[in-house]
DNA sequence: CTGGATCCCTCACGATACTG
DNA sequence: CAGTATCGTGAGGGATCCAG
């Protein structure tokens, strides 16, 4: 599609020529979480035809955004990972993601959530300034997806899967987005059973405070 | 293309369903500069077929990103402008633009520069922190494109066309990008005749300091 | 002249099947 | 597991035509 360029000497046009094709940014989103094998990417993007995934990876490699790497023995598997230049697109993707997240309503029945997309969602909505002095290790269940995370001062680490040590376990669904865009308070979410937790309810307040979609300037005027 | 969704309940996927189709982000780029008529957009995007432009505008309108407005008489023209939500994509587009700009080499012979793309380029590469205490009004000529601008402390205003009052006039081409990514100093640019000016050469230093592509952390270690 | 709509061609995308 | 091959469909590209 973007194989034929836009005919403009412009940074944005060039960016779209590099990563503007269908599926490309979602592939990069998953690679931002870590190196991935072909089949990992397929699992994370169930709707992408394998030939399209193959094409995209080839194009992104040619364009210096992605590189193939052969894992040392005994694995001997090929993984795809972002080049240094490719990784520098992270901020742009995060901004696009939070912009698009504001248009998310209820999930359509055919829409899924993946561990990688949720990992990026947490990283992109995390507001370091809201987390100064806060410490919390949590486990987050969104349907079949389980993530773990640790908030330490202005820092956030997110991983996949459960962990033994945690202060708070959160079970939720799409209501998580309403927590992050402040259209629902933690207390309301608990009362309406949209969120279930293990641990101190006060910790859910902390959890909800450090993630944010949109600017919410109205709080500044209060 | 993105008419069929990605099947993911994810902010980035939703963003791509809204503005991920070919040409959409370039249309939005031009609308970020100001409201534009259909023919303005065509002029700024000479390679877009008119039916595709028409389709994109219709889709973007349905999706709440763009709105049509009828200008009051006697103009009576319809203009397209971003909705408030649409305008909030600005930061994401700016980041994408500076990311892509790093991959810009020499312009291909069929690549053009437009006033709107240059306006966005200036706005996206402007570093307010580098402009504290600086004041400069300039006129910038990139081939046939003429912009004017005013830097005041951490603030930048850019307009199209020449202006009577200015401290500095810059005539240049693709070398401007090399000024902004620090692969060329103002002095080198003048000596190599890649940039011509009217005004004090010291003002070109000021001009070059406040615009920046990439992070340039290497200066921190020096 | 602006602001599109229509037509036709081509090629990229998408689904499925198949191979190393 | 990691892709390649094949093929139908539909979106993009470009020229032309039409209405206000």
């Amino acid at each position: 599609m973007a194989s034929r360029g836009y005919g403009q000497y412009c940074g944005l046009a060039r960016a779209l020529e590099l990563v503007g094709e269908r599926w490309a940014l979602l592939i990069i989103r998953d690679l931002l979480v870590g190196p991935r094998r072909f089949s990992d990417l397929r699992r994370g993007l169930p709707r992408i035809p394998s030939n399209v995934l193959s094409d995209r990876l080839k194009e992104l490699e040619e364009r210096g955004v992605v590189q193939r790497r052969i894992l040392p023995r005994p694995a001997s598997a090929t993984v795809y990972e972002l080049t240094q230049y490719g990784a520098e697109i992270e901020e742009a993707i995060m901004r696009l993601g939070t912009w698009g997240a504001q248009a998310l309503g209820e999930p359509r029945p055919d829409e899924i959530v993946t561990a990688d997309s949720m990992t990026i969602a947490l990283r992109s909505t995390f507001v370091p300034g809201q987390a100064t002095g806060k410490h919390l290790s949590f486990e987050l269940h969104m349907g079949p997806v389980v993530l773990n995370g640790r908030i330490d001062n202005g820092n956030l680490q997110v991983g996949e899967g459960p962990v033994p040590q945690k202060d708070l376990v959160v079970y939720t669904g799409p209501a998580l987005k309403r927590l992050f865009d402040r259209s629902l308070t933690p207390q309301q979410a608990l009362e309406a059973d949209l969120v279930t937790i293990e641990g101190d309810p006060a910790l859910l307040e902390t959890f909800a405070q450090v993630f944010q979609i949109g600017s919410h300037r109205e709080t500044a005027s209060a």
Side-chain angles (χ1 to χ4, degrees), chain A:
Chain A
M1 265 304 113
S3 48
R4 205 161 222 154
Y6 291 97
Q8 303 220 347
Y9 187 72
C10 157
L12 180 63
R14 187 66 84 252
L16 293 172
E17 287 164 5
L18 291 175
V19 299
E21 279 154 13
R22 193 159 156 76
W23 294 107
L25 283 180
L26 292 182
I27 294 169
I28 293 173
R29 175 199 68 188
D30 287 6
L31 294 181
L32 278 171
V33 180
R36 292 288 182 264
R37 290 176 302 174
F38 192 88
S39 48
D40 296 330
L41 292 169
R42 281 191 83 169
R43 243 190 310 283
L45 274 3
R47 298 259 282 252
I48 191 174
S50 62
N51 60 344
V52 174
L53 176 56
S54 184
D55 289 350
R56 289 295 162 275
L57 289 170
K58 216 170 300 176
E59 294 158 6
L60 291 173
E61 191 182 354
E62 284 169 3
R63 296 167 188 179
V65 177
V66 161
Q67 56 192 336
R68 296 170 57 120
R69 189 159 50 94
I70 312 286
L71 255 39
R73 315 208 45 165
S76 301
T78 42
V79 294
Y80 296 87
E81 60 190 358
L82 295 173
T83 61
Q84 190 196 332
Y85 179 60
E88 288 172 11
I89 203 177
E90 174 163 348
E91 267 307 311
I93 285 191
M94 298 302 202
R95 301 275 185 160
L96 254 188
T98 55
W99 181 78
Q102 300 179 58
L104 284 175
E106 285 299 301
R108 293 180 30 194
D110 60 338
E111 287 186 327
I112 63 169
V113 171
T114 68
D116 286 345
S117 77
M118 273 305 302
T119 300
I120 294 295
L122 288 182
R123 280 166 40 176
S124 64
T125 55
F126 181 68
V127 184
Q130 288 289 326
T132 53
K134 296 196 173 75
H135 301 270
L136 174 67
S137 72
F138 62 88
E139 195 176 283
L140 176 64
H141 296 245
M142 282 272 291
V145 172
V146 185
L147 301 181
N148 64 79
R150 169 176 288 276
I151 295 157
D152 272 310
N153 246 320
N155 209 284
L156 170 70
Q157 292 280 351
V158 183
E160 188 178 352
V163 279
Q165 296 284 60
K166 58 239 175 188
D167 311 317
L168 175 72
V169 182
V170 181
Y171 298 90
T172 186
L176 187 64
K177 185 236 167 188
R178 302 193 48 203
L179 238 43
F180 289 3
D181 72 10
R182 306 292 186 260
S183 68
L184 196 69
T185 67
Q187 196 184 343
Q188 291 170 332
L190 288 172
E191 285 169 359
D193 238 13
L194 295 169
V195 171
T196 314
I197 64 169
E198 294 168 11
D200 187 341
L203 295 181
L204 183 62
E205 301 273 354
T206 302
F207 177 81
Q209 280 165 13
V210 302
F211 297 104
Q212 187 169 302
I213 296 174
S215 50
H216 313 293
R217 299 187 198 89
E218 68 280 3
T219 61
S221 65

